[in-house]
Amino acid sequence: EPEVTQTPSHQVTQMGQEVILRCVPISNHLYFYWYRQILGQKVEFLVSFYNNEISEKSEIFDDQFSVERPDGSNFTLKIRSTKLEDSAMYFCASSDRVNQPQHFGDGTRLSIL
Amino acid sequence: QKEVEQNSGPLSVPEGAIASLNCTYSDRGSQSFFWYRQYSGKSPELIMSIYSNGDKEDGRFTAQLNKASQYVSLLIRDSQPSDSATYLCAAIPIQGAQKLVFGQGTRLTINP
């Protein structure tokens, strides 16, 4: 069964450094998403991406965040200057249409020191 | 603020019994609802989607939707120890929107 893949599985970064999280969505899917889950808390929406542009973003997704689809398969989340509170699991998801189930990758555990 | 609410549990059910998980949502315009299972330290795994009022069955799982009461539930029949996990209810708040709004999850433990 096709799946969303994310790399790395764990990223440890010093506060203030830039980090890029990578995702390969399911190949025939057109909608891509990033979510995060701080330990013990809800899964929170960050951003959705369609047709090479952001279609929706949350209040969490401020100027330090950006997303990109640099080629036909990868979808990346960049955090420009990481803060301690950015420590969380970051999940990439994809879906083939709006309002349809979103399939999640295994996540990247981001630890900011 | 568009919210999805769940009882965080823990909910403890004996093996072989029916587990009943409940969820309410605040946005009356919500159209699409999903149940995900999340094992500790893992990602959400889709179990069921439901879009219309009534019941939808898939194997041991039944999702129920009542839009008038803004209520979604998940029944797990013949519960197995491997069903022990946190169950996340999620909704897409308005037609054409894309984000999932998640509840805080209900932790379910199946006791052998």
Short mmCIF file of all heavy atoms in Angstrom, two decimals, chain A residues 7-46:
data_model
loop_
_atom_site.label_atom_id
_atom_site.label_comp_id
_atom_site.label_asym_id
_atom_site.label_seq_id
_atom_site.Cartn_x
_atom_site.Cartn_y
_atom_site.Cartn_z
N THR A 7 11.65 12.04 6.36
CA THR A 7 13.03 11.96 6.84
C THR A 7 13.45 13.31 7.40
O THR A 7 12.98 14.36 6.93
CB THR A 7 13.99 11.58 5.71
OG1 THR A 7 13.83 12.50 4.62
CG2 THR A 7 13.77 10.15 5.24
N PRO A 8 14.33 13.33 8.40
CA PRO A 8 14.78 12.17 9.18
C PRO A 8 13.71 11.75 10.17
O PRO A 8 12.72 12.45 10.34
CB PRO A 8 16.01 12.72 9.88
CG PRO A 8 15.68 14.16 10.12
CD PRO A 8 14.89 14.60 8.92
N SER A 9 13.91 10.64 10.85
CA SER A 9 12.96 10.22 11.87
C SER A 9 13.17 11.03 13.15
O SER A 9 12.22 11.24 13.92
CB SER A 9 13.07 8.73 12.14
OG SER A 9 14.39 8.40 12.52
N HIS A 10 14.41 11.48 13.39
CA HIS A 10 14.71 12.27 14.57
C HIS A 10 15.76 13.30 14.19
O HIS A 10 16.75 12.97 13.55
CB HIS A 10 15.21 11.37 15.71
CG HIS A 10 15.31 12.04 17.03
ND1 HIS A 10 15.89 11.45 18.13
CD2 HIS A 10 14.90 13.27 17.46
CE1 HIS A 10 15.84 12.29 19.17
NE2 HIS A 10 15.24 13.39 18.79
N GLN A 11 15.50 14.55 14.57
CA GLN A 11 16.41 15.65 14.28
C GLN A 11 16.67 16.40 15.57
O GLN A 11 15.73 16.84 16.24
CB GLN A 11 15.79 16.59 13.25
CG GLN A 11 16.58 17.84 12.95
CD GLN A 11 17.68 17.60 11.96
OE1 GLN A 11 17.51 16.92 10.96
NE2 GLN A 11 18.83 18.17 12.24
N VAL A 12 17.94 16.53 15.91
CA VAL A 12 18.34 17.31 17.09
C VAL A 12 19.09 18.54 16.59
O VAL A 12 20.04 18.42 15.82
CB VAL A 12 19.23 16.48 18.03
CG1 VAL A 12 19.59 17.31 19.26
CG2 VAL A 12 18.54 15.19 18.45
N THR A 13 18.65 19.71 17.03
CA THR A 13 19.19 20.96 16.50
C THR A 13 19.36 21.97 17.63
O THR A 13 18.56 22.00 18.58
CB THR A 13 18.23 21.54 15.44
OG1 THR A 13 18.06 20.59 14.40
CG2 THR A 13 18.74 22.84 14.85
N GLN A 14 20.38 22.79 17.51
CA GLN A 14 20.58 23.87 18.48
C GLN A 14 19.57 24.98 18.22
O GLN A 14 19.26 25.30 17.07
CB GLN A 14 22.00 24.42 18.36
CG GLN A 14 23.08 23.47 18.82
CD GLN A 14 23.10 23.28 20.33
OE1 GLN A 14 22.77 24.18 21.08
NE2 GLN A 14 23.47 22.08 20.77
N MET A 15 19.11 25.59 19.29
CA MET A 15 18.20 26.73 19.18
C MET A 15 18.81 27.81 18.28
O MET A 15 20.02 28.08 18.36
CB MET A 15 17.95 27.31 20.58
CG MET A 15 16.95 28.41 20.64
SD MET A 15 16.59 28.88 22.35
CE MET A 15 18.19 29.36 22.95
N GLY A 16 17.99 28.38 17.42
CA GLY A 16 18.45 29.41 16.50
C GLY A 16 18.90 28.88 15.15
O GLY A 16 19.07 29.66 14.21
N GLN A 17 19.10 27.60 15.04
CA GLN A 17 19.51 27.00 13.77
C GLN A 17 18.31 26.74 12.88
O GLN A 17 17.17 26.63 13.33
CB GLN A 17 20.26 25.68 14.02
CG GLN A 17 21.57 25.85 14.78
CD GLN A 17 22.55 26.70 14.01
OE1 GLN A 17 22.90 26.39 12.88
NE2 GLN A 17 23.01 27.78 14.62
N GLU A 18 18.59 26.63 11.60
CA GLU A 18 17.56 26.29 10.62
C GLU A 18 17.45 24.78 10.51
O GLU A 18 18.44 24.05 10.64
CB GLU A 18 17.95 26.87 9.26
CG GLU A 18 17.03 26.50 8.12
CD GLU A 18 17.53 27.08 6.80
OE1 GLU A 18 17.40 28.31 6.61
OE2 GLU A 18 18.03 26.30 5.98
N VAL A 19 16.23 24.31 10.27
CA VAL A 19 16.03 22.88 10.09
C VAL A 19 15.08 22.66 8.92
O VAL A 19 14.16 23.47 8.69
CB VAL A 19 15.51 22.23 11.38
CG1 VAL A 19 14.13 22.75 11.75
CG2 VAL A 19 15.49 20.71 11.29
N ILE A 20 15.32 21.63 8.15
CA ILE A 20 14.44 21.26 7.04
C ILE A 20 13.96 19.83 7.26
O ILE A 20 14.77 18.91 7.40
CB ILE A 20 15.16 21.38 5.68
CG1 ILE A 20 15.56 22.83 5.42
CG2 ILE A 20 14.25 20.88 4.55
CD1 ILE A 20 16.37 23.02 4.15
N LEU A 21 12.66 19.69 7.28
CA LEU A 21 12.04 18.37 7.41
C LEU A 21 11.51 17.97 6.03
O LEU A 21 10.89 18.77 5.34
CB LEU A 21 10.90 18.40 8.43
CG LEU A 21 11.24 19.02 9.80
CD1 LEU A 21 10.04 18.94 10.72
CD2 LEU A 21 12.46 18.40 10.40
N ARG A 22 11.73 16.70 5.69
CA ARG A 22 11.41 16.25 4.34
C ARG A 22 10.31 15.21 4.33
O ARG A 22 10.21 14.38 5.24
CB ARG A 22 12.66 15.71 3.66
CG ARG A 22 13.68 16.80 3.38
CD ARG A 22 14.90 16.30 2.63
NE ARG A 22 15.66 17.42 2.09
CZ ARG A 22 16.50 18.19 2.78
NH1 ARG A 22 16.70 17.94 4.05
NH2 ARG A 22 17.14 19.18 2.19
N CYS A 23 9.55 15.23 3.25
CA CYS A 23 8.40 14.34 3.12
C CYS A 23 8.27 13.96 1.65
O CYS A 23 8.51 14.78 0.76
CB CYS A 23 7.14 15.08 3.59
SG CYS A 23 5.57 14.29 3.21
N VAL A 24 7.91 12.71 1.41
CA VAL A 24 7.50 12.28 0.08
C VAL A 24 6.06 11.82 0.19
O VAL A 24 5.77 10.77 0.76
CB VAL A 24 8.39 11.15 -0.45
CG1 VAL A 24 7.91 10.71 -1.84
CG2 VAL A 24 9.85 11.59 -0.52
N PRO A 25 5.12 12.63 -0.32
CA PRO A 25 3.70 12.25 -0.25
C PRO A 25 3.40 11.05 -1.14
O PRO A 25 4.22 10.65 -1.97
CB PRO A 25 2.98 13.50 -0.75
CG PRO A 25 3.98 14.61 -0.65
CD PRO A 25 5.32 13.96 -0.88
N ILE A 26 2.21 10.51 -1.00
CA ILE A 26 1.76 9.43 -1.87
C ILE A 26 1.68 9.97 -3.29
O ILE A 26 1.19 11.08 -3.52
CB ILE A 26 0.40 8.88 -1.38
CG1 ILE A 26 0.60 8.21 -0.02
CG2 ILE A 26 -0.21 7.93 -2.38
CD1 ILE A 26 -0.68 7.79 0.68
N SER A 27 2.14 9.18 -4.25
CA SER A 27 2.48 9.71 -5.57
C SER A 27 1.31 10.34 -6.34
O SER A 27 1.51 11.29 -7.07
CB SER A 27 3.13 8.63 -6.42
OG SER A 27 2.23 7.57 -6.63
N ASN A 28 0.11 9.82 -6.21
CA ASN A 28 -1.00 10.40 -6.98
C ASN A 28 -1.80 11.41 -6.16
O ASN A 28 -2.87 11.86 -6.59
CB ASN A 28 -1.91 9.30 -7.52
CG ASN A 28 -2.58 8.52 -6.40
OD1 ASN A 28 -2.09 8.50 -5.27
ND2 ASN A 28 -3.71 7.91 -6.70
N HIS A 29 -1.31 11.78 -5.00
CA HIS A 29 -2.01 12.76 -4.17
C HIS A 29 -1.63 14.17 -4.59
O HIS A 29 -0.50 14.43 -5.02
CB HIS A 29 -1.70 12.53 -2.69
CG HIS A 29 -2.42 11.36 -2.12
ND1 HIS A 29 -2.39 11.04 -0.78
CD2 HIS A 29 -3.22 10.42 -2.71
CE1 HIS A 29 -3.13 9.96 -0.57
NE2 HIS A 29 -3.63 9.57 -1.72
N LEU A 30 -2.59 15.09 -4.42
CA LEU A 30 -2.40 16.46 -4.87
C LEU A 30 -2.35 17.47 -3.72
O LEU A 30 -1.94 18.60 -3.93
CB LEU A 30 -3.54 16.85 -5.81
CG LEU A 30 -3.70 15.98 -7.07
CD1 LEU A 30 -4.92 16.45 -7.86
CD2 LEU A 30 -2.45 16.04 -7.94
N TYR A 31 -2.81 17.05 -2.54
CA TYR A 31 -2.89 17.95 -1.40
C TYR A 31 -1.91 17.47 -0.34
O TYR A 31 -1.89 16.28 0.00
CB TYR A 31 -4.32 17.96 -0.83
CG TYR A 31 -5.34 18.51 -1.79
CD1 TYR A 31 -5.92 17.70 -2.77
CD2 TYR A 31 -5.72 19.85 -1.74
CE1 TYR A 31 -6.84 18.20 -3.67
CE2 TYR A 31 -6.65 20.36 -2.63
CZ TYR A 31 -7.19 19.54 -3.59
OH TYR A 31 -8.11 20.05 -4.48
N PHE A 32 -1.15 18.42 0.19
CA PHE A 32 -0.10 18.07 1.13
C PHE A 32 -0.26 18.94 2.38
O PHE A 32 -0.67 20.11 2.28
CB PHE A 32 1.29 18.28 0.52
CG PHE A 32 1.40 17.74 -0.87
CD1 PHE A 32 1.81 18.56 -1.91
CD2 PHE A 32 1.11 16.42 -1.16
CE1 PHE A 32 1.92 18.07 -3.21
CE2 PHE A 32 1.21 15.92 -2.43
CZ PHE A 32 1.61 16.75 -3.48
N TYR A 33 0.12 18.38 3.51
CA TYR A 33 -0.12 19.03 4.78
C TYR A 33 1.06 18.80 5.74
O TYR A 33 1.74 17.78 5.66
CB TYR A 33 -1.38 18.44 5.46
CG TYR A 33 -2.56 18.27 4.56
CD1 TYR A 33 -2.72 17.12 3.79
CD2 TYR A 33 -3.55 19.26 4.47
CE1 TYR A 33 -3.81 16.96 2.95
CE2 TYR A 33 -4.64 19.10 3.63
CZ TYR A 33 -4.76 17.94 2.88
OH TYR A 33 -5.84 17.79 2.05
N TRP A 34 1.22 19.75 6.64
CA TRP A 34 2.09 19.55 7.79
C TRP A 34 1.27 19.78 9.07
O TRP A 34 0.49 20.74 9.16
CB TRP A 34 3.28 20.50 7.78
CG TRP A 34 4.35 20.12 6.82
CD1 TRP A 34 4.58 20.66 5.59
CD2 TRP A 34 5.36 19.11 6.99
NE1 TRP A 34 5.65 20.05 4.98
CE2 TRP A 34 6.14 19.10 5.81
CE3 TRP A 34 5.67 18.22 8.02
CZ2 TRP A 34 7.22 18.23 5.65
CZ3 TRP A 34 6.74 17.36 7.85
CH2 TRP A 34 7.51 17.37 6.69
N TYR A 35 1.48 18.88 10.02
CA TYR A 35 0.90 18.99 11.35
C TYR A 35 2.03 18.83 12.37
O TYR A 35 3.09 18.28 12.05
CB TYR A 35 -0.13 17.86 11.60
CG TYR A 35 -1.37 17.96 10.75
CD1 TYR A 35 -1.39 17.48 9.44
CD2 TYR A 35 -2.54 18.52 11.27
CE1 TYR A 35 -2.54 17.55 8.67
CE2 TYR A 35 -3.70 18.60 10.50
CZ TYR A 35 -3.68 18.12 9.20
OH TYR A 35 -4.82 18.21 8.44
N ARG A 36 1.77 19.29 13.57
CA ARG A 36 2.72 19.00 14.63
C ARG A 36 1.97 18.53 15.88
O ARG A 36 0.79 18.81 16.06
CB ARG A 36 3.58 20.22 14.96
CG ARG A 36 2.91 21.24 15.85
CD ARG A 36 3.85 22.32 16.29
NE ARG A 36 3.17 23.21 17.23
CZ ARG A 36 3.66 24.36 17.64
NH1 ARG A 36 4.84 24.78 17.21
NH2 ARG A 36 2.99 25.09 18.50
N GLN A 37 2.70 17.80 16.72
CA GLN A 37 2.13 17.32 17.97
C GLN A 37 3.18 17.47 19.06
O GLN A 37 4.18 16.73 19.07
CB GLN A 37 1.67 15.86 17.85
CG GLN A 37 0.91 15.36 19.07
CD GLN A 37 0.39 13.94 18.87
OE1 GLN A 37 0.97 13.13 18.16
NE2 GLN A 37 -0.75 13.64 19.52
N ILE A 38 2.98 18.45 19.91
CA ILE A 38 3.82 18.59 21.09
C ILE A 38 3.49 17.46 22.04
O ILE A 38 2.33 17.03 22.14
CB ILE A 38 3.60 19.96 21.74
CG1 ILE A 38 4.06 21.07 20.77
CG2 ILE A 38 4.32 20.07 23.07
CD1 ILE A 38 3.68 22.47 21.19
N LEU A 39 4.49 16.94 22.74
CA LEU A 39 4.33 15.77 23.58
C LEU A 39 3.15 15.92 24.54
O LEU A 39 3.06 16.91 25.29
CB LEU A 39 5.61 15.53 24.38
CG LEU A 39 5.66 14.25 25.20
CD1 LEU A 39 5.60 13.03 24.29
CD2 LEU A 39 6.93 14.21 26.05
N GLY A 40 2.21 14.97 24.46
CA GLY A 40 1.06 14.97 25.36
C GLY A 40 -0.08 15.87 24.93
O GLY A 40 -1.08 15.97 25.64
N GLN A 41 0.06 16.52 23.76
CA GLN A 41 -0.97 17.46 23.32
C GLN A 41 -1.62 16.99 22.02
O GLN A 41 -1.29 15.94 21.47
CB GLN A 41 -0.36 18.85 23.15
CG GLN A 41 0.18 19.42 24.45
CD GLN A 41 0.61 20.87 24.33
OE1 GLN A 41 0.16 21.59 23.44
NE2 GLN A 41 1.48 21.30 25.23
N LYS A 42 -2.59 17.78 21.56
CA LYS A 42 -3.32 17.47 20.35
C LYS A 42 -2.43 17.55 19.12
O LYS A 42 -1.43 18.28 19.11
CB LYS A 42 -4.44 18.50 20.13
CG LYS A 42 -5.57 18.51 21.08
CD LYS A 42 -6.61 19.55 20.62
CE LYS A 42 -7.74 19.68 21.61
NZ LYS A 42 -8.79 20.58 21.12
N VAL A 43 -2.86 16.88 18.07
CA VAL A 43 -2.27 17.10 16.76
C VAL A 43 -2.81 18.43 16.23
O VAL A 43 -4.02 18.67 16.24
CB VAL A 43 -2.66 15.96 15.79
CG1 VAL A 43 -2.12 16.22 14.40
CG2 VAL A 43 -2.16 14.61 16.32
N GLU A 44 -1.90 19.31 15.80
CA GLU A 44 -2.29 20.66 15.37
C GLU A 44 -1.92 20.88 13.90
O GLU A 44 -0.80 20.58 13.48
CB GLU A 44 -1.55 21.72 16.18
CG GLU A 44 -1.77 21.66 17.68
CD GLU A 44 -0.86 22.67 18.39
OE1 GLU A 44 0.35 22.43 18.45
OE2 GLU A 44 -1.40 23.69 18.88
N PHE A 45 -2.83 21.46 13.16
CA PHE A 45 -2.60 21.80 11.77
C PHE A 45 -1.62 22.96 11.65
O PHE A 45 -1.71 23.93 12.40
CB PHE A 45 -3.94 22.17 11.14
CG PHE A 45 -3.85 22.77 9.78
CD1 PHE A 45 -3.65 21.99 8.65
CD2 PHE A 45 -4.00 24.15 9.60
CE1 PHE A 45 -3.59 22.54 7.39
CE2 PHE A 45 -3.94 24.71 8.34
CZ PHE A 45 -3.74 23.90 7.24
N LEU A 46 -0.71 22.84 10.71
CA LEU A 46 0.21 23.95 10.41
C LEU A 46 -0.15 24.59 9.07
O LEU A 46 -0.37 25.79 8.98
CB LEU A 46 1.66 23.45 10.36
CG LEU A 46 2.27 22.97 11.67
CD1 LEU A 46 3.68 22.46 11.42
CD2 LEU A 46 2.29 24.08 12.69
#
